[in-house]
Amino acid sequence: MLRLLPILSVLLLTDCQSVAEKDGVGLTLLKQSNQCRIMAPQMRLLKTVAEIHQATGLRAMLNAKPPPLDVDFSAQAVVLLAMGQKPTAGYRIVVDAEQVERRGTTLWLPVRFTAPPTGNAAATVITSPCVVFAVARKGLRRIIAGETGLSVDF
């Protein structure tokens, strides 16, 4: 049992990377993590690759070199969307990249904050889910994160 603890810790603390794009909008999901160390829900712009890695995990403590990210900060807005601190595992941020909609200078990003199902066992571990995505800046002034009430202006 004690041998499994370090392995489980690494799995919980590492980042998952995936890419999802929608034609015409240029949305790319860069990173997703359950250990962002952000206390309250928020949405903000990130300006460097170092900020992305800093916001999305504990890689420095694991002595792992973060994977490279190909981001053009002059042409893309890189946004962090955080759920805030949660008391158990199982909380997630779900981004529906297929339903992204541009409304003039505003990008409507369908997002849901989900909780673990009630009645199911969940690990008692403090989590802080977040996602980082990039979107083409061209003509955009605001991004709204669905029904979360969060937005960012730039």
Side-chain angles (χ1 to χ4, degrees):
M1 179 68 168
L2 290 177
R3 290 181 191 173
L4 292 177
L5 213 46
I7 295 170
L8 180 58
S9 296
V10 169
L11 291 174
L12 287 173
L13 298 177
T14 55
D15 299 331
C16 300
Q17 290 189 24
S18 61
V19 176
E21 293 191 34
K22 181 175 179 184
D23 294 335
V25 176
L27 175 76
T28 304
L29 186 60
L30 298 174
K31 296 188 78 119
Q32 187 167 351
S33 177
N34 284 326
Q35 294 299 329
C36 293
R37 303 168 306 215
I38 298 172
M39 300 298 285
Q42 67 176 263
M43 189 171 184
R44 64 182 162 100
L45 290 174
L46 300 177
K47 296 181 172 89
T48 66
V49 171
E51 278 188 85
I52 296 170
H53 290 306
Q54 182 181 18
T56 58
L58 303 174
R59 290 191 163 278
M61 291 177 59
L62 298 173
N63 293 322
K65 184 178 179 183
L69 291 173
D70 185 25
V71 180
D72 179 359
F73 288 94
S74 65
Q76 295 174 301
V78 177
V79 179
L80 167 78
L81 175 61
M83 194 175 197
Q85 192 174 46
K86 299 299 173 191
T88 65
Y91 287 87
R92 302 272 182 263
I93 299 174
V94 180
V95 179
D96 187 354
E98 294 300 316
Q99 298 300 315
V100 173
E101 184 180 333
R102 186 173 179 144
R103 300 174 183 172
T105 61
T106 301
L107 185 70
W108 175 262
L109 182 64
V111 173
R112 290 187 330 271
F113 289 169
T114 64
T118 55
N120 287 4
T124 304
V125 59
I126 294 174
T127 60
S128 179
C130 75
V131 296
V132 176
F133 60 90
V135 64
R137 284 183 178 267
K138 189 175 181 181
L140 282 182
R141 295 286 174 236
R142 177 175 234 204
I143 300 173
I144 299 173
E147 303 299 327
T148 68
L150 299 171
S151 65
V152 66
D153 296 313
F154 51 95

